[in-house]
Structures are given as C-alpha cells and as structure tokens.
Amino acid sequence: MVKTYLRYESRSVFGVVASPAGNAVYDHTGKLSITPALESVIVWDIRKGTQVARWTDSDNKAEVTRIARSPNGKDYAVGYSDGSIRLFDLTSNAVNVILNGHRSSISALEFDPSGTVLASGARDTDIILWDVVGEVGLYKLRGHKDEITGIAFISTTAGGGSALNASAQGYIVSSSKDTLVKLWDLRARHCVQTLTSHRSEVWSLAVSPDQRLLVTGTSDLELRVWNIKVDKLDNVPADTSELSPEEAARSWEAISEYGTIQRASRDRVAGLQFHPTGLYLACASADKQIEVFRTRTHGEIRKKMARRQKRSREKRKKEEEGSDNENGDEESGDELPAITAGDELTSFKVLRTSAKPVSFDFNPAESDTAALHRQGGLHVLVSQNNNAIHTWNVPIPPPGKTTKQAGLPEPSLVSSVEMLGHRSEPRALALSFDNELVVSAANKSLRVWNAHTGACVRTLECGSAICAAFLPGDQLVVVGTKDGQIELFDIPSATLLESFDAHEGAACWSIDVRPDKKGLVTGGADKCVKFWDFELVRDPQSADSVASPRRMTLEHVKTLKMSDDVLAVKCSPDSRLLAVSLLDTTVKVFYADTLKFFLSLYGHKLPVVSMDISSDSTLLVTGSADKSVKLWGLDFGDCHRSLLAHQEPVTAVRFVWGTHYFFSAGKDKLVQQWDGDNFQRIQKLAGSHGDVWALAVAKHGNFVVASSQDRSIRIWEKTEEPLFLEEERERELEELYDRGLEESLDRDESAIGGDDGDAVDAEESQRAGKATMETLKAGERIMEALELADEERRKWHEYEERKRKTPQLNPAPPDTNPVLLFEKLSPEAYVLRTVERVRASELEDALLALPFSRVLSLMVYVDIWARREWNTPLTCRVLFFMLKAHQNQIVATRTMRSRLDSIRKHLRSGVSQQRDQIGYNLAALTSLRAEWEANATAEFFDEKDIQKVLDAQLKKRKFTGIKV
C-alpha cells in the first residue's frame, strides 16, 4: 500500500513592516501608508501604527519592488521581481488587473496625469506603456542599455491631458544606469533627445509639477538641473533638411542644461521627488539623510542677482584701480548675469534618519500652499532598510516671512511603525511547550508572538542573540548571545531577570533544555559544554527576604571540556545521551549522567551547525555547512543515510515529536520535510526571500515556524489534504518543465506591424507582451474550444446534408456535446465565451499560440460574431491582431478573400451601431452634466442676499446725476 502524508500549507507571515526591495507611498489622504512587505503589500495607519489591510495574490510568489499611486487616489500599481504588474483597489483591497510584459524586476512605475496610462521600466532595459482601462500593453520602447531607474510624464498643452488620447500625446523622460536620460515622443514612439552629460549611473529623476524643471541625481556631489521648454514640445520643428543631423538635433532641444546644485551628502542619490506644490525638492542619499531644497521666490532671486551684480562691480572697480588701464571704463558694463539652478534652488533642511532610507514620499494632501501651512509643515514618509517606516515633519516659514526671520526648528519625527518587526534578521526561534507563543531573537531585540494570530505580545531588549529556548512553564525565556552571555527574561513582566557570563566572552552557540526539565545545557566557542540547574531564590536586597517572592535563576553545576569550539548540543529525550557538535566536523556522543565518551560520528566535510534527536532516542539527524543532512543510529553510531538536502549550507534540522519525520532549513531559502525511515523528501516549503536561519516545529507537527534573513517569520500549517510522494515528484517535475519553457519563451520578439499610417521604428518600438504559462494555457483552451465547436458544426452540417438528400429516411439528429449541453450554448457562443474568459492583457499572446490552421478556423467564428453583433469590441480586437500577426499567410490564402469581404461587410454595420450608441450616451451625459452644474451652482447663492445687492445698486444709480 502506498504511504500517504499530510500536506503543509502556508498560513501566515508576520514580522515584516517594510521590505527594502520596494518603495512606500502615501495614500491620497495622507493618513495611510502603502508599504511593500515581501510578496504582499500592507496598508498601515501611520498615526495608530496598525495594519489596515493586506494585499496579496495567491498566485504570486515574487517580491514587491515598486509601488505607484494613481491620480484618482483609488488604484495602486504594484510591480514585482518577476516582471509582473498588478493593480489593486484601495477600497476593495482586491486585484483588478494583472499585466505581464517585462522579463525581469520592475524598477520604475509612473501614472500619467489622467491615470489611464501606466509607464513601467525594468531591469530588462525596456519601457512599456500600458492602457489601464483596456488592461492591455500599448507598446514597448527600447533604447536604454541598462536598468531603468526613473520615469516621468511630460504633458504638452496641445495634448490637454485628455483620457481619450493620453496614450498617443505627450512625452516621457526616462533615466537609466547606462548614464543616459532620454526624452520619448509618445506620438512617434521614438526617442527625440538624449542627455549625455552624466558620467555615472543616473539613480533617480524628478520633474517639477509645473513641468519646467528636470532634476537628475547620480553618485556625483551635485544634482543636475535641466530646463524643459514645453513650447518646443508643442511646436513642430522647422525645416531642417539643409542642416546636418548634429545641427538639426541642436536646433530642437526641448531639454537644456540649467545648472547644478551642491549636495550635503557624499554618497549616491537614492531618490528625488518634488513636493506637490513645487516649492520644495527632496533628495535621499545612501548615508542616512534626506536633504530638502527650497525654491526661491522671484523677489529673493532678484535680490540675489542684485547682490551678485554689486559684488561684480566692486570687484571690477578694484581691479581697475590696481591696474593702469586707461580704457577700463569703456570696457566695463552692467550686464545682468544669467540665472542658474543654484539661484533658484537652495538647501533648506536635512533629515537625519536612524538607518539608510530606501524611499520617501511627500503627503499628496498638501497640494497647495494653504494646505501646506494648515498641516504645519512638510510631512515626509520615509521607508528605511531596517524594517521600519517613519513620518517626519519639516517646519516651513509662515506666510510673509523668510527662513532667516522665522527661526525654524529642526525636522522632527512625528510617528513611526517599527514595533511589529525586528530591525535586523532574527537568528533564533523558540516555541513554547503549549505551542501558543513564538519567540524570535535578533540583534538587540527579543519579541514574543502569538502563534495563531501573529500579533506581537512582548518586545524586550537583549544582546546579539544567536540561540533561545523557553523554560518549563512558558513564563521564562533564556537567550544565548555572541558575547557568551546567557540572559534570562520574564515574559509576563517583560523584564530581564538576570544575566550570566557563561562562556567567558566567546559566543554561546546552542542552548538545550534537559528532558527532566530541571536544567539546561549550553555550548559555546570557548570549547566548553556547561550544565545549569534551575533554582528558586529570594531577592537578598528585599527588606523582608524571608517573605519576598522567589524567582528563577540558573546555577552552574558542571563543565565538559572539549577539544574544539562547540557549535550545537542536544540531549536525548530519554536523558541517556548527550550529543555535541564540534568545529572539527565531528559529533561526539556522551553518556548524560557520567559524561563518559560513547560515540564519535565522522562523515561531514564541514562542521555540523544543527542537530536533533528523535523522540524515541534512536535516530540523530545532523545538518552541516556542506549542504548535506545525515541520519545516524544512536545504538552503534552507524550512518543510515546521507542526503544532499539543500543547494546551500543547512542551517537547522528538527524532528517531529512521535515520528521519524524531520524538517531541514538552509540558505537556499527552502524548508523541506523528510521521512527518516525511507529517506525520501516529502515536501518543499518555499516562500522565504532570504536565507532561512532558524526553525521550530510544534509538538506533534501541527505547524512549522521559520525565520529568514528577510526578517519575516513564516508559519506552515498541517492540513487534511493527503500527499503522495509520486504525485509530489511529478508536480515538481512539471514546475521545472514549466520554468524551463518560460525561459525558452523569454526571448526578444520582433515588432508585429504598426498602426495605420504610423511609421514605427522596429528597433525602438515593439509590441508589449510576454509569453507565459498562463498565455500558453489560454491558447490551449481556445484551441480546444475551436476543435469542439468545429466538430459540433461538422456533425450538424452532415445531419443537414443527409436530411436534405434523404428526407424520407428522417435521420436522427446527432447528440450534442456534453460540454455544450451543460453550458447551454451554441458552438459559436461557446468559442466566444472561451475567448472572453481570457484576460485582456493575455489575449494577444494567447492568440499567438494558435497555429495558422486554427487561425483560419477562428476567422469563421469572427465572421459569425460580426454578423450577429456579439461583443463587437472584442471581435474587432481579435480580428485586427490576427491580421497583423498573420498578414503574409492570410494574403497568400485565396480562400480568405471571400471570408474577409463578409467580415468587412458585417463588421461595419456593427461598428456603426456601436459608434451611434456611444455618441448618444456621450450626448446624454453632457446634458446631465450641464443640468447638474446649473442646479448645483444655484444652491451656492442666497436669493435674499442677491436681491439686497441689486437694490443697493439701483439706489446708487437713481441718485446719480450729470452736471452740465
């Protein structure tokens, strides 16, 4: 009989406030923070420090790398490390759109001013324009040679910002690590200008709200400021046929150099952003500071220019007096110096953060000067690389006063969200004996979590923890540190009871509570294994030492000297043996009572960093830095099996109580379950985005807890779903095959046609899309639907022929396909339903998967859909894309001529009807809007007040006379 197991499924992830791979943004009200949390997005209430919502997609395992806020304040675009983009709704917390087009991690996202077009840039050097409403990719722009670091829209006055032509009007400017900044014309889909002044990677860019200034940041000590001439973007350049290409390019330069601004930091720029009012510019650096620049007013600039001119005249006068130049007066002049970027932008304040800032965002609610003063200053949301988000307030001068006159204080920290996660990676985990609490220990922090809800129960300060354990009763926790200290904590009172110098300054690598629950054993880098007993003592400093309550303490009873550093210790559940792992790659087994040597286990090529003994005290499992896991028998010390468990060093192994199943964790980001009897891997538990450092298993394997380098704590729970090893291996092989197939499909695709009348450069503009397993499966579903519908139509056609030729026989009608019978659809409607169920963003790539024979079959159904006027927009989209993709084959097929004529005739009437319906609806909406504006405007006026004003004006006119 085939042995069955129970499957483990991911239950919860906690401990992550803000992952450093993505950026955090405000919501449109400035009260919530949209923050990346590994593969999820968390919506935080900044003031309360509580989680409002969590955005997840069960099909996604990739990490969030970029977040962008839509101008409507409701939709948020989230980019992932696998190149996919998802649009979430803030009100419903659900995924609305999924877009796939990039081949690598998303590095830049930006909405256009209308919110209908999304521009994305990635590490694959491509820029893709997406139609958010239509949920499709418009086109792909190529020209950069390295990762895209910034994108900004520049809308012209001619474009008007209309949602109807937002994808075809305007410009975008992009920056990349290839040191170039490019200006793209969306109408021509072509790069019209390239800025080549930078000598190092361009890490960020920002465009002012009035679209007059462009600021770029590199690793230099200055920020480069550029002037954007919108009037040149609106006007078509004059005839430049007589000029050389270089002269023609210089004659039309929409972006010109304006100057540089000196930065306070010497590290590279991490981010740039203008305030919504355009009065301030912030620059984040990689050295724990954010510098805020202020835009000078026109009066301040005039004063500065006058002072500069005065100093220039005085300097020139002194030079003339010192020289005997008789013609000095004739050469001198009062020419006005040119205004530079340093005259317009000046350093204002510097925010000193506690860690390196990953990203920052201004409050979008401060959209005007009145709101800015009402809020009391600039509010800046800062996401740091230590798993925390902070909100800062930068005071600004009141209206009518300058910065010097106001005497402003330094920026202050308003609120923070950091208590729900570690500042550094948790290196140790421990489960309480009742499996209700989880303790995670990191550098200088110890946190207690509820294992079922993921809520943080207690937060304590500790040393550099590397191991931890609960003591019997689940009230106390003992922690071993790198300094050799053993710290004893009381959980209910959240206090440090006592600290013991256990290993004389050397690291305490391992702690294990003895099975008799009367003490514990520790092993350290001082080559000692020390035994400790639990003791209850009274506080000697108390006034009444006899009546004072007793507290727990540790008493050192004996020491076992070893020949090398001790990396792990473990007592057998029957209290008979003690296993000690040494730095010399061996494992020594001693009798626990007499400490007499029993066994020496050789076989690992690198030291054993973790080990565990089964509940029946017959098996010992060891995990080593040589990536292997070995099973040993404790009767004779024989090695039962050596397993190459992980692709990276193993960090933890744990047995399930009452069984020979065990879990292993490694630096390959995996947790795996194994059967210690038949030496088979049962299941892989993936999900971590960093090295898995610690592992804890519930008493009877009800759930597994793991802590990772990404600061997350994950829990996998045992379900009732059976698991068979053969099916699991087949599933893993299918995943491996699918991954290889996606990699083979991940190749450059040539541009497929172009728009009517548009000259599209095949090098710079290409079709936006990417073939994935989802698109291949969608194409297979369409092919299956076509086969089923063709067969059904053929059967009925044959039936009609027999009925026509031999009506006297009265042939029986054919049986309807069960699928069509269940769906209650005709073959044509079934094919349409199948195409409608394909995501709009995946439809084109799904149609590309069809062979040409199926394309000819699909054209028959397109003709039927057009004749019956079924879903005319989808019919047009399918038809136009197939004509683009298979133009040569269709032209060469003579039988398609009549079919295309029929489609053209029937489709025109359907499109005309759709156009009339849309025009009617637009006219009705315009009428309703005019009626609403008329009624709403009347409500704002008081008729009595208006009548009083009119009467007063009439009286004035009545008593006014004219003298002759």
Side-chain angles (χ1 to χ4, degrees):
M1 185 176 178
V2 179
K3 189 174 183 180
T4 61
Y5 305 89
L6 294 180
R7 185 179 298 276
Y8 283 82
E9 295 290 346
S10 178
R11 188 183 75 185
S12 60
V13 182
F14 51 90
V16 179
V17 177
S19 53
N23 64 306
V25 298
Y26 270 114
D27 75 325
H28 65 287
T29 63
K31 298 179 181 178
L32 303 178
S33 169
I34 318 299
T35 307
L38 300 180
E39 69 272 12
S40 305
V41 177
I42 299 180
V43 182
W44 295 99
D45 188 321
I46 305 174
R47 296 179 182 177
K48 297 180 181 178
T50 57
Q51 178 178 320
V52 177
R54 191 182 190 95
W55 300 345
T56 57
D57 188 355
S58 58
D59 298 332
N60 172 63
K61 303 298 180 184
E63 191 173 4
V64 176
T65 58
R66 199 70 187 169
I67 301 176
R69 179 181 59 250
S70 175
N72 61 18
K74 186 181 69 171
D75 296 326
Y76 290 82
V78 181
Y80 295 85
S81 59
D82 60 353
S84 62
I85 301 172
R86 287 169 173 80
L87 268 66
F88 288 88
D89 191 337
L90 182 61
T91 56
S92 63
N93 299 320
V95 182
N96 290 339
V97 183
I98 300 178
L99 306 172
N100 277 297
H102 289 285
R103 304 187 304 275
S104 59
S105 176
I106 302 295
S107 57
L109 279 177
E110 187 71 23
F111 280 95
D112 78 318
S114 66
T116 59
V117 177
L118 174 68
S120 62
R123 291 184 179 178
D124 58 6
T125 73
D126 295 337
I127 300 172
I128 298 181
L129 274 294
W130 305 90
D131 183 358
V132 177
V133 179
E135 303 179 8
V136 295
L138 298 173
Y139 47 85
K140 182 186 297 183
L141 300 175
R142 287 188 167 180
H144 286 290
K145 302 300 181 184
D146 207 337
E147 176 184 343
I148 308 298
T149 57
I151 297 176
F153 278 89
I154 300 177
S155 58
T156 61
T157 57
S162 174
L164 297 177
N165 59 357
S167 62
Q169 299 290 339
Y171 295 79
I172 62 171
V173 58
S174 62
S175 62
S176 171
K177 288 185 179 179
D178 60 1
T179 73
L180 300 178
V181 176
K182 289 180 176 288
L183 179 66
W184 304 84
D185 187 349
L186 299 184
R187 180 167 46 190
R189 304 179 190 177
H190 179 72
C191 177
V192 294
Q193 188 178 355
T194 302
L195 308 180
T196 59
S197 300
H198 302 94
R199 292 294 178 265
S200 59
E201 296 91 344
V202 182
W203 290 99
S204 182
L205 65 80
V207 175
S208 60
D210 58 0
Q211 298 188 350
R212 188 176 58 86
L213 298 179
L214 167 67
V215 183
T216 57
T218 63
S219 56
D220 299 336
L221 299 181
E222 301 92 9
L223 296 176
R224 290 181 180 268
V225 185
W226 310 79
N227 230 330
I228 303 176
K229 301 175 183 177
V230 183
D231 55 344
K232 285 194 174 183
L233 298 178
D234 292 335
N235 301 326
V236 179
D239 184 17
T240 57
S241 57
E242 298 180 358
L243 302 177
S244 63
E246 293 79 7
E247 293 176 347
R250 284 195 299 269
S251 65
W252 189 85
E253 286 186 351
I255 301 177
S256 59
E257 196 160 356
Y258 189 34
T260 60
I261 310 172
Q262 191 72 25
R263 294 194 297 127
S265 172
R266 294 185 175 272
D267 286 354
R268 71 169 180 87
V269 173
L272 285 170
Q273 185 178 349
F274 272 97
H275 191 266
T277 60
L279 301 177
Y280 298 92
L281 168 69
C283 172
S285 303
D287 59 350
K288 303 182 182 181
Q289 68 178 12
I290 299 175
E291 188 173 4
V292 180
F293 297 89
R294 181 179 62 88
T295 303
R296 287 191 174 99
T297 62
H298 292 290
E300 292 177 335
I301 294 176
R302 284 197 300 269
K303 291 181 180 179
K304 184 176 179 58
M305 300 301 294
R307 288 196 299 269
R308 182 185 299 175
Q309 189 177 11
K310 182 179 179 181
R311 288 196 300 268
S312 177
R313 285 198 303 265
E314 292 177 352
K315 183 179 179 181
R316 188 166 53 249
K317 185 177 180 180
K318 290 181 179 179
E319 292 177 354
E320 292 174 354
E321 292 177 353
S323 63
D324 295 335
N325 187 4
E326 297 179 356
N327 299 326
D329 295 337
E330 298 177 359
E331 296 177 359
S332 64
D334 293 338
E335 297 180 358
L336 291 175
I339 300 176
T340 61
D343 300 329
E344 187 170 351
L345 294 171
T346 180
S347 181
F348 179 56
K349 293 289 183 181
V350 177
L351 278 70
R352 307 288 182 181
T353 58
S354 58
K356 291 183 179 180
V358 175
S359 67
F360 68 93
D361 190 27
F362 283 114
N363 190 345
E366 303 168 355
S367 57
D368 53 8
T369 309
L372 191 59
H373 290 288
R374 190 166 55 250
Q375 294 285 344
L378 305 175
H379 284 80
V380 185
L381 175 70
V382 181
S383 172
Q384 301 181 167
N385 68 346
N386 64 344
N387 197 25
I389 53 176
H390 292 170
T391 305
W392 290 81
N393 180 28
V394 182
I396 60 174
K401 289 188 178 181
T402 63
T403 306
K404 293 182 179 180
Q405 294 173 348
L408 300 175
E410 292 299 318
S412 59
L413 182 64
V414 178
S415 59
S416 64
V417 181
E418 58 181 17
M419 299 304 293
L420 300 178
H422 288 283
R423 304 284 73 75
S424 59
E425 56 195 60
R427 300 296 295 267
L429 275 181
L431 264 175
S432 61
F433 288 88
D434 58 2
N435 297 330
E436 295 292 332
L437 299 177
V438 178
V439 159
S440 60
N443 184 21
K444 299 181 180 179
S445 67
L446 177 74
R447 299 183 189 275
V448 184
W449 312 85
N450 187 311
H452 300 286
T453 63
C456 184
V457 180
R458 292 286 187 274
T459 300
L460 304 96
E461 291 186 2
C462 67
S464 300
I466 51 179
C467 58
F470 267 97
L471 298 189
D474 297 335
Q475 302 291 315
L476 302 176
V477 173
V478 61
V479 174
T481 68
K482 286 185 178 180
D483 301 329
Q485 300 284 329
I486 297 180
E487 299 176 343
L488 187 62
F489 293 92
D490 183 31
I491 299 300
S493 62
T495 57
L496 173 63
L497 296 180
E498 201 169 353
S499 180
F500 306 91
D501 189 7
H503 292 278
E504 301 176 355
C508 178
W509 288 112
S510 179
I511 295 178
D512 186 37
V513 178
R514 300 207 304 262
D516 57 7
K517 299 182 180 180
K518 294 181 180 180
L520 54 85
V521 182
T522 62
D526 60 349
K527 306 179 183 180
C528 291
V529 178
K530 295 192 176 183
F531 297 80
W532 306 77
D533 283 346
F534 302 143
E535 294 289 341
L536 293 175
V537 298
R538 301 185 187 275
D539 191 357
Q541 297 180 356
S542 177
D544 188 359
S545 60
V546 178
S548 62
R550 295 189 297 177
R551 61 176 179 84
M552 178 73 76
T553 187
L554 300 177
E555 182 180 356
H556 180 220
V557 290
K558 55 184 174 180
T559 301
L560 175 61
K561 292 283 188 179
M562 304 302 297
S563 60
D564 213 332
D565 293 4
V566 178
L567 300 182
V569 293
K570 188 65 182 178
C571 298
S572 62
D574 59 2
S575 302
R576 190 174 67 93
L577 300 174
L578 171 68
V580 181
S581 167
L582 301 179
L583 190 62
D584 60 3
T585 74
T586 63
V587 176
K588 307 288 186 183
V589 183
F590 300 88
Y591 289 104
D593 50 358
T594 62
L595 299 183
K596 183 179 178 181
F597 175 75
F598 175 49
L599 294 170
S600 183
L601 308 179
Y602 297 91
H604 283 290
K605 297 179 180 179
L606 291 175
V608 173
V609 296
S610 180
M611 59 184 177
D612 197 10
I613 300 176
S614 61
S615 56
D616 57 4
S617 301
T618 59
L619 284 180
L620 170 69
V621 59
T622 56
S624 170
D626 61 5
K627 310 176 187 178
S628 67
V629 169
K630 293 182 184 293
L631 284 163
W632 312 81
L634 288 179
D635 293 332
F636 305 102
D638 55 327
C639 180
H640 289 186
R641 183 62 65 94
S642 178
L643 305 169
L644 183 60
H646 294 267
Q647 300 298 322
E648 296 293 336
V650 180
T651 55
V653 288
R654 291 291 181 270
F655 267 109
V656 178
W657 184 266
T659 68
H660 284 175
Y661 305 152
F662 66 92
F663 289 87
S664 66
K667 291 186 178 182
D668 57 355
K669 308 176 185 179
L670 288 178
V671 175
Q672 300 186 88
Q673 184 187 12
W674 303 81
D675 190 337
D677 292 328
N678 58 15
F679 317 116
Q680 295 288 328
R681 184 179 70 242
I682 301 174
Q683 186 182 1
K684 286 183 179 180
L685 305 179
S688 298
H689 298 275
D691 303 346
V692 181
W693 286 112
L695 192 65
V697 182
K699 182 70 174 180
H700 298 288
N702 294 330
F703 60 88
V704 182
V705 188
S707 65
S708 176
Q709 188 181 17
D710 58 14
R711 300 183 179 91
S712 68
I713 300 173
R714 296 177 183 269
I715 295 182
W716 291 271
E717 188 174 25
K718 185 194 294 184
T719 63
E720 296 300 325
E721 181 184 355
L723 184 147
F724 300 93
L725 292 182
E726 294 181 359
E727 294 181 358
E728 189 69 13
R729 296 293 90 78
E730 290 178 0
R731 188 181 64 84
E732 291 177 0
L733 288 175
E734 287 178 1
E735 290 180 355
L736 186 62
Y737 172 75
D738 293 345
R739 195 178 306 116
L741 186 59
E742 286 185 355
E743 291 177 357
S744 64
L745 293 173
D746 188 14
R747 62 181 182 272
D748 296 340
E749 298 179 0
S750 59
I752 301 177
D755 294 341
D756 296 339
D758 288 348
V760 181
D761 191 347
E763 292 296 328
E764 288 191 344
S765 179
Q766 297 187 5
R767 186 184 66 87
K770 184 180 71 170
T772 62
M773 288 306 302
E774 294 299 326
T775 60
L776 291 179
K777 291 177 181 178
E780 291 176 356
R781 289 195 297 268
I782 295 176
M783 284 190 284
E784 292 173 359
L786 289 172
E787 291 178 2
L788 189 150
D790 289 344
E791 180 65 22
E792 190 70 14
R793 282 168 53 85
R794 184 189 60 79
K795 289 191 302 183
W796 281 96
H797 179 70
E798 292 177 355
Y799 166 72
E800 293 294 338
E801 286 293 324
R802 289 196 305 269
K803 188 176 179 181
R804 184 180 60 84
K805 292 180 180 180
T806 58
Q808 64 278 7
L809 296 179
N810 193 14
D815 296 332
T816 306
N817 191 287
V819 177
L820 298 178
L821 195 62
F822 176 77
E823 295 281 352
K824 297 180 181 180
L825 295 173
S826 64
E828 300 82 5
Y830 177 70
V831 176
L832 180 61
R833 175 74 63 83
T834 304
V835 175
E836 287 175 341
R837 287 178 176 175
V838 179
R839 287 177 183 157
S841 58
E842 299 174 352
L843 180 58
E844 294 183 356
D845 291 285
L847 293 175
L848 281 178
L850 300 179
F852 186 67
S853 60
R854 293 302 172 192
V855 171
L856 297 178
S857 178
L858 184 58
M859 294 293 280
V860 176
Y861 295 97
V862 169
D863 187 13
I864 297 174
W865 301 341
R867 186 185 308 119
R868 300 179 182 178
E869 296 182 359
W870 288 352
N871 201 341
T872 303
L874 180 62
T875 303
C876 294
R877 185 182 173 195
V878 172
L879 174 64
F880 297 156
F881 180 76
M882 287 195 301
L883 291 177
K884 286 181 180 180
H886 305 281
Q887 180 184 5
N888 296 332
Q889 294 91 331
I890 291 175
V891 170
T893 306
R894 294 183 178 181
T895 57
M896 287 297 299
R897 182 178 180 85
S898 60
R899 181 70 60 192
L900 291 176
D901 290 339
S902 176
I903 293 174
R904 179 181 59 183
K905 181 177 68 174
H906 296 116
L907 196 60
R908 280 184 175 178
S909 60
V911 171
S912 177
Q913 183 178 354
Q914 289 276 336
R915 182 186 60 192
D916 296 341
Q917 184 178 359
I918 292 173
Y920 178 83
N921 292 337
L922 284 175
L925 290 173
T926 305
S927 176
L928 289 174
R929 179 181 178 182
E931 182 180 354
W932 177 85
E933 288 180 350
N935 295 333
T937 305
E939 294 176 358
F940 287 104
F941 297 98
D942 192 350
E943 295 182 357
K944 295 181 179 180
D945 295 340
I946 295 175
Q947 189 63 35
K948 290 180 180 180
V949 173
L950 292 176
D951 293 341
Q953 292 178 353
L954 289 174
K955 288 181 180 180
K956 290 181 179 180
R957 292 175 182 174
K958 183 178 180 180
F959 292 104
T960 302
I962 300 176
K963 293 183 179 180
V964 181

